[in-house]
Amino acid sequence: MKALRGGKILTGRTWCEGKALLFDERIRDIVPESAVPSDVESVTEAEGAWVAPGFLDIHVHGVCGADTMDASSASLERIAEALTAHGVTAFCPTTMTMDEPHIDAALQAVHTAMTTPPRRGARVLGAHLEGPFLSRSRLGAQDGTFVRRPDPDFVRRWQRALRLVTFAPEEDEEWRLLDALREAAIVPSLGHSSATYELAMEAFRRGAKSATHLFNGMVPFHHRRPGLSGAALDADVTCELIADGVHTHPAVFRLVLAMKGKDRLVLVSDAMRGSCLGEGTWDLGGQTVTVRGEEATLSDGTIAGSILTLDRALRNFAAETGLPLWEAVRLVSGNPARLLEEKDRGRIEPGCRADFVLLDESWRVRKTFVAGEEVFDDHARRDCTGL
Ligand SMILES: [Zn+2]
């Protein structure tokens, strides 16, 4: 058993000082610092840092030159390791709309990474399938050539690798895809869709649980035609938000928080391989993306993925909404864990996985632990090209 002391530990909806975490691959206990057993294997001094639950990124295509659609273990390992520098301890590698052999290969690689976790990285929770079951009218950076009608047999075939599927409900004949997702315990999420408010509400009633990057890839909100975005705000479902100030305006952070509250919002990065590599031209699911400043765009100006990291999303959101960071942290930990029904992640409590992150006063990541192992230390930081 190991111990961590000297931090402000975020437990449930509050935080405490003067306590120590006792853990191996799971959190075993939270005890007064004076009660740390003398025979623990090691003691980490938190030096006043916040100790927060590890972050879960449920929508991330890639980072640091690697992408889920590379369909390789090496790329997934690179993503898994790079994400730990941003406090992420578990993630859903996210696919793009490409031809079936490409998607099959990517899902096979995701399944391999789920069963043989990378040694020093964030854990792979299963894929987020973003396409091909989308509407051609709301593609964003997805390639319309490969859009297909929702196919429940595909879901059944890849049940073992899928965790979350984004689809356009107006394309789903007789709700066959939605029913197959629910049967397979895969999270159905509505997105890249021109669905009306009424149709989207029907999908939520039938078991869709989430809206993919709220406002992006949807009909813009209109007071007489609220559309999918209006339905996602009105229904008791979770909304993903890309809080970079590019995909959504900072005023929208405040509006969405006021409407959804603190428990039904999940910050996602939607990051692509150019994230953390600076300005340049990169591939995203067969599309050429140019990164300039904070923006990643296709040649026609369409916003394409992001270069956001989840720790920055958290800081942006807290700064713009005034939500204390220790409360905002649930938008990247407890809330995504609840959406995915990951019962032993997203919280620091005895019995939960020892996945946690140490953050300084300005909420920069200092250390990250996955399954009780230190996998990132800011003092030993290497830039991502050297990973
Ligand atoms: Zn995406």
Side-chain angles (χ1 to χ4, degrees):
M1 195 146 62
K2 302 172 194 171
L4 178 132
R5 68 182 176 199
K8 297 187 279 277
I9 304 173
L10 287 165
T11 52
R13 299 197 166 221
T14 181
W15 55 277
C16 58
E17 272 182 293
K19 297 274 179 74
L21 274 189
L22 300 179
F23 59 95
D24 39 39
E25 69 276 10
R26 287 186 183 264
I27 292 161
R28 294 302 169 196
D29 211 348
I30 301 170
V31 298
E33 289 185 351
S34 57
V36 173
S38 54
D39 60 348
V40 289
E41 189 187 311
S42 66
V43 178
T44 302
E45 299 291 346
E47 297 171 344
W50 291 94
V51 184
F55 305 163
L56 281 72
D57 196 344
I58 64 170
H59 191 152
V60 53
H61 297 276
V63 64
C64 288
D67 188 282
T68 305
M69 296 313 290
D70 296 342
S72 82
S73 299
S75 283
L76 287 171
E77 268 175 39
R78 193 174 171 89
I79 298 168
E81 186 169 352
L83 288 179
T84 62
H86 304 289
V88 175
T89 56
F91 69 110
C92 294
T94 305
T95 59
M96 290 287 289
T97 304
M98 290 183 84
D99 59 51
E100 194 159 350
H102 267 99
I103 295 177
D104 283 350
L107 293 179
Q108 185 54 54
V110 168
H111 185 250
T112 304
M114 290 165 76
T115 46
T116 44
R119 268 174 305 122
R120 286 191 53 83
R123 295 295 189 256
V124 174
L125 299 171
H128 176 163
L129 188 85
E130 192 180 15
F133 310 134
L134 310 177
S135 162
R136 284 201 171 80
S137 64
R138 293 285 155 188
L139 288 170
Q142 305 278 343
D143 188 342
T145 322
F146 302 113
V147 162
R148 286 192 283 139
R149 294 307 292 262
D151 176 3
D153 288 333
F154 176 91
V155 163
R156 288 182 201 111
R157 200 158 64 244
W158 283 108
Q159 185 172 348
R160 65 189 186 281
L162 293 173
R163 204 57 202 271
L164 198 148
V165 170
T166 291
F167 70 103
E170 67 274 30
E171 302 293 327
D172 188 17
E173 253 174 80
E174 295 171 13
W175 305 105
R176 280 194 217 127
L177 184 81
L178 179 54
D179 291 347
L181 292 171
R182 293 191 57 217
E183 263 165 47
I186 298 163
V187 178
S189 189
L190 308 186
H192 289 282
S193 156
S194 291
T196 60
Y197 170 87
E198 289 72 18
L199 184 79
M201 287 304 269
E202 174 74 13
F204 290 137
R205 268 193 298 276
R206 286 174 176 269
K209 294 252 179 296
S210 174
T212 300
H213 45 50
L214 182 66
F215 296 118
N216 296 111
M218 301 176 186
V219 181
F221 180 84
H222 186 283
H223 57 293
R224 279 190 291 275
R225 294 178 297 280
L228 167 54
S229 51
L233 291 168
D234 200 18
D236 185 21
V237 295
T238 298
C239 292
E240 290 182 5
L241 192 74
I242 310 172
D244 61 355
V246 174
H247 288 76
T248 49
H249 190 282
V252 170
F253 306 175
R254 293 185 285 277
L255 292 168
V256 168
L257 178 64
M259 284 183 268
K260 296 304 295 184
K262 287 176 265 188
D263 294 326
R264 288 287 179 267
L265 266 179
V266 169
L267 303 184
V268 297
S269 71
D270 199 9
M272 41 78 77
R273 78 167 81 233
S275 176
C276 86
L277 291 183
E279 299 199 342
T281 299
W282 318 101
D283 162 84
L284 174 67
Q287 309 262 61
T288 303
V289 176
T290 301
V291 173
R292 250 186 239 104
E294 290 296 304
E295 284 191 19
T297 52
L298 301 182
S299 58
D300 66 0
T302 305
I303 302 179
S306 89
I307 52 165
L308 184 64
T309 58
L310 212 50
D311 55 333
R312 252 190 317 128
L314 175 66
R315 293 193 296 269
N316 291 346
F317 190 84
E320 295 291 348
T321 58
L323 200 60
L325 277 158
W326 65 271
E327 281 203 279
V329 79
R330 79 173 81 153
L331 277 62
V332 294
S333 54
N335 294 358
R338 197 178 324 107
L339 177 67
L340 298 183
E341 297 187 37
E342 286 283 334
K343 294 194 170 60
D344 57 0
R345 296 184 201 268
R347 286 171 298 130
I348 296 183
E349 276 172 28
C352 287
R353 289 166 191 268
D355 293 356
F356 50 86
V357 51
L358 271 55
L359 301 155
D360 67 15
E361 279 308 312
S362 52
W363 283 68
R364 287 180 198 283
V365 176
R366 290 296 168 234
K367 285 178 191 284
T368 304
F369 287 75
V370 173
E373 297 289 334
E374 185 183 302
V375 292
F376 172 76
D377 177 0
D378 189 46
H379 294 300
R381 180 190 276 271
R382 292 164 291 170
D383 78 23
C384 72
T385 49
L387 276 175

